[in-house]
């Protein structure tokens, strides 16, 4: 095993130690293979990460070893990598790294970062998301093809409510993510409310195929629209991120024509570089236009006023929110005691 190699990126040199360490035993892919992959797709992943507070999902000894999420900027991080101060729902805060150049991605790979989890905000305004992120999550009994069918209906919903354009990508697993660039005018709570409105509209259109039910026992064999992925401090793997599975799949940006045609297994750290060399970043135009959430928020208001559909549960680690329903799953909720009938007086 070579002691180290030096990689060039944007005029900087990044030292990669233990380049021969095997990160994916089933395929034999090494730490150097991981770094070379990120070099090959650097403009694409930097487009997805640029100026965003980013949590690192690190596997220092490869996917069979221990792993962890690194939220706070690591000690010893180069001073040319900027940070942003962010607040968590717990009330705590931290400085997270914000990649602004390709060398930052390679630096993270040196420390075993497989997956990058960027916040939907930029470092100059960390309280107002500039992306609405919709996570189509297949439940047991469903698969990627089911998620693809839901994604095409989602595309129609987004177009109908505000002329929104979504940008689809594989999750790297069985799911599909659709990102909508939005104007940074709304809070996390408002963006989450818009995501709930999307989910409820999808339920109305595809009641047997889609659900927004938070409790697993209520979802059935349907695609779950995980509206809580829009809550503060919830992140989704970036485009081009490597996922910790044996064949080293990646989260692949798609065109809408590819949704349901291309499949997640088509994209890994060996196939994506060739695709990128041929097509470039198929989401390169994502930042060219930002959209308004007004129509979706009007839909949310209509759901509340006309149908009595209010807020939905937050994840368990979040503080109780105003207007939020009970977080007790239905099967464990206390049932009201039947009232005893009183004898009538003759």
């Amino acid at each position: 095993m070579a002691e180290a190699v030096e990689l060039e990126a944007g005029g900087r040199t990044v030292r990669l130690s233990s380049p021969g360490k095997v990160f994916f035993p089933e395929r034999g892919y090494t730490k150097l293979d991981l770094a070379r992959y990120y070099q090959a797709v650097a403009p694409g992943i930097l487009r997805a990460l640029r100026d965003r507070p980013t949590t690192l999902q690190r596997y220092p000894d490869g996917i069979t070893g221990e792993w962890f999420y690194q939220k706070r900027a690591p000690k010893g991080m180069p001073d040319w990598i900027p940070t942003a101060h962010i607040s968590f729902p717990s009330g705590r805060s931290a400085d997270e790294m914000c990649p602004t150049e390709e060398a930052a991605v390679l630096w993270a790979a040196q420390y075993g970062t497989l997956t990058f989890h960027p916040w939907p905000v930029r470092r100059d305004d960390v309280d107002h998301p500039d992306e609405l992120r919709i996570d189509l999550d297949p439940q047991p009994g469903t698969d990627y093809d089911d998620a693809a069918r839901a994604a095409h209906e989602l595309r129609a919903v987004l177009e109908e409510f505000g002329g929104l354009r979504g940008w689809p990508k594989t999750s790297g697993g069985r799911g599909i993510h659709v990102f909508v660039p939005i104007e940074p005018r709304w809070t996390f709570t408002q963006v989450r409310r818009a995501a709930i409105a999307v989910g409820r509209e999808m339920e109305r259109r595809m009641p047997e195929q889609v659900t927004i039910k938070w409790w697993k026992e209520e979802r059935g064999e349907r695609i779950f629209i995980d509206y809580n992925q829009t809550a503060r401090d919830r992140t989704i793997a970036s485009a081009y991120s490597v996922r910790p599975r044996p064949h080293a799949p990646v989260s692949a940006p798609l065109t809408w024509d590819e949704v349901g045609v291309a499949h997640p297994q088509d994209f890994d750290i060996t196939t994506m570089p060739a695709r990128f060399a041929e097509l470039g970043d198929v989401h390169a135009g994502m930042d060219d236009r930002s959209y308004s959430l007004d129509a979706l928020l009007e839909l949310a208001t209509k759901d509340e006023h006309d149908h009595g559909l209010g807020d939905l549960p937050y994840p368990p680690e979040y503080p109780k929110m105003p207007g939020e329903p009970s977080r007790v799953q239905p099967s464990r909720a206390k049932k009201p005691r039947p009232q005893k009938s009183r004898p009538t007086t003759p």
Side-chain angles (χ1 to χ4, degrees):
M1 183 181 296
E3 289 187 3
V5 297
E6 292 186 340
L7 304 176
E8 299 297 323
R12 297 192 189 277
T13 300
V14 178
R15 183 177 183 273
L16 194 77
S17 63
S18 303
K21 179 182 286 188
V22 176
F23 272 23
F24 295 88
E26 184 174 291
R27 299 291 178 89
Y29 300 148
T30 65
K31 185 178 182 180
L32 181 59
D33 292 327
L34 175 70
R36 292 292 191 201
Y37 163 74
Y38 279 127
Q39 275 189 308
V41 299
I45 192 166
L46 186 60
R47 189 266 311 155
L49 299 178
R50 185 180 286 109
D51 286 319
R52 298 190 182 281
T54 300
T55 296
L56 309 179
Q57 189 174 358
R58 293 177 54 188
Y59 289 75
D61 295 312
I63 64 169
T64 58
E66 294 184 1
W67 64 275
F68 58 95
Y69 289 108
Q70 176 109 38
K71 292 190 174 183
R72 287 170 171 77
K75 292 182 179 179
M77 189 177 73
D79 57 12
W80 47 266
I81 301 178
T83 61
H85 193 73
I86 56 173
S87 298
F88 303 117
S90 65
R92 302 178 68 183
S93 61
D95 294 322
E96 284 204 359
M97 71 175 291
C98 299
T100 56
E101 51 186 291
E102 297 172 8
V105 177
L106 294 184
W107 180 86
Q110 148 65 14
Y111 289 93
T113 299
L114 297 190
T115 309
F116 295 83
H117 295 266
W119 281 48
V121 300
R122 308 283 182 169
R123 63 189 173 109
D124 59 351
D125 185 356
V126 296
D127 294 317
H128 295 90
D130 68 346
E131 287 180 347
L132 169 65
R133 298 174 173 179
I134 307 297
D135 180 9
L136 301 174
D137 184 10
Q139 300 303 290
T142 65
D143 57 20
Y144 176 83
D145 290 332
D146 297 307
R149 283 187 285 272
H152 283 292
E153 187 62 39
L154 171 62
R155 183 187 187 188
V157 169
L158 293 173
E159 174 62 31
E160 183 174 335
F161 290 93
L164 309 181
R165 178 179 179 182
W167 297 76
K169 68 183 185 70
T170 68
S171 67
R174 299 188 306 144
I176 293 178
H177 303 149
V178 178
F179 288 7
V180 180
I182 60 173
E183 301 164 0
R185 295 197 284 123
W186 295 276
T187 64
F188 279 92
T189 302
Q190 290 170 313
V191 174
R192 178 178 174 275
R193 186 166 172 253
I196 291 173
V198 169
R200 285 177 169 150
E201 181 64 20
M202 288 287 291
E203 276 188 327
R204 285 189 282 267
R205 298 185 183 204
M206 305 180 72
E208 301 301 320
Q209 293 81 37
V210 168
T211 182
I212 199 171
K213 298 291 187 183
W214 176 246
W215 303 108
K216 291 182 179 180
E217 64 187 31
E218 296 185 308
R219 294 178 190 170
E221 295 184 359
R222 292 179 286 184
I223 300 298
F224 172 50
I225 298 181
D226 190 354
Y227 62 90
N228 269 330
Q229 290 290 26
T230 54
R232 179 185 286 272
D233 193 33
R234 282 297 180 100
T235 56
I236 293 178
S238 77
Y240 299 102
S241 272
V242 179
R243 308 313 308 273
R245 295 181 174 86
H247 60 293
V250 304
S251 179
L254 302 175
T255 66
W256 277 109
D257 288 342
E258 292 178 306
V259 174
V261 178
H263 282 76
Q265 59 266 31
D266 298 334
F267 309 106
D268 59 34
I269 66 171
T270 61
T271 61
M272 179 57 81
R275 171 184 168 87
F276 196 89
E278 178 183 358
L279 302 178
D281 179 15
V282 297
H283 285 189
M286 188 171 170
D287 294 332
D288 291 349
R289 181 182 174 185
S290 298
Y291 295 88
S292 170
L293 289 180
D294 286 342
L296 285 177
L297 292 174
E298 288 174 7
L299 176 62
T301 298
K302 182 178 180 181
D303 283 340
E304 292 160 7
H305 290 174
D306 297 354
H307 305 292
L309 300 174
D311 202 358
L312 293 174
Y314 274 78
E317 69 272 18
Y318 282 65
K320 187 70 175 178
M321 298 294 287
E324 181 189 358
S326 171
R327 293 186 191 174
V328 179
Q329 65 190 71
S331 62
R332 294 188 178 183
K334 292 182 178 180
K335 304 295 189 293
R337 293 181 179 179
Q339 294 184 348
K340 294 182 179 179
S341 59
R342 296 183 180 180
T344 58
T345 302

